């Protein structure tokens, strides 16, 4: 199953709502808890850090698409 998102932020929010909540308590300690707290309360987590965490739990492919239509 592949789930598509329009941004790393959107993917990380999905991860927190769906995967993080299902993790056993011993896995929610440390780095993941700090990331959850930073995202939820401060919004001060970098895309790089979000991507690194997502990559621990699955495969992440980020593509940029540029569409240009000349006048």
């Amino acid at each position: 199953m592949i789930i598509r998102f329009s941004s790393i932020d959107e993917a990380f929010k999905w991860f927190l709502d769906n995967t993080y909540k299902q993790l056993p308590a011993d896995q929610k300690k440390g780095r993941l808890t700090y990331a959850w707290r930073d995202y939820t309360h401060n919004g001060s987590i970098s895309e790089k850090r979000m991507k690194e965490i997502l990559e621990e739990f699955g495969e992440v492919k980020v593509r940029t698409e540029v569409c240009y239509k000349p006048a």
Side-chain angles (χ1 to χ4, degrees), residues 36-67:
W36 170 81
R37 188 179 306 135
D38 289 345
Y39 183 86
T40 304
H41 299 294
N42 302 342
S44 64
I45 181 171
S46 70
E47 282 192 6
K48 179 181 176 183
R49 191 166 149 212
M50 287 188 268
K51 186 177 178 224
E52 287 172 353
I53 290 170
L54 290 170
E55 287 174 335
E56 288 180 31
F57 294 90
E59 184 179 338
V60 177
K61 291 183 182 179
V62 178
R63 294 185 284 178
T64 302
E65 182 178 356
V66 177
C67 299

Side-chain angles (χ1 to χ4, degrees), residues 5 7 13 17 38 43 47 63:
F5 303 98
S7 67
K13 181 177 181 347
D17 291 341
D38 289 345
E47 282 192 6
R63 294 185 284 178

Side-chain angles (χ1 to χ4, degrees), residues 4-43:
R4 298 182 192 279
F5 303 98
S6 59
S7 67
I8 292 287
D9 186 70
E10 186 181 321
F12 195 71
K13 181 177 181 347
W14 182 92
F15 167 80
L16 292 177
D17 291 341
N18 294 278
T19 304
Y20 179 78
K21 287 182 179 181
Q22 305 300 322
L23 294 174
D26 63 321
Q27 276 192 291
K28 290 184 184 179
K29 294 181 180 176
R31 205 166 85 81
L32 286 179
T33 300
Y34 294 131
W36 170 81
R37 188 179 306 135
D38 289 345
Y39 183 86
T40 304
H41 299 294
N42 302 342

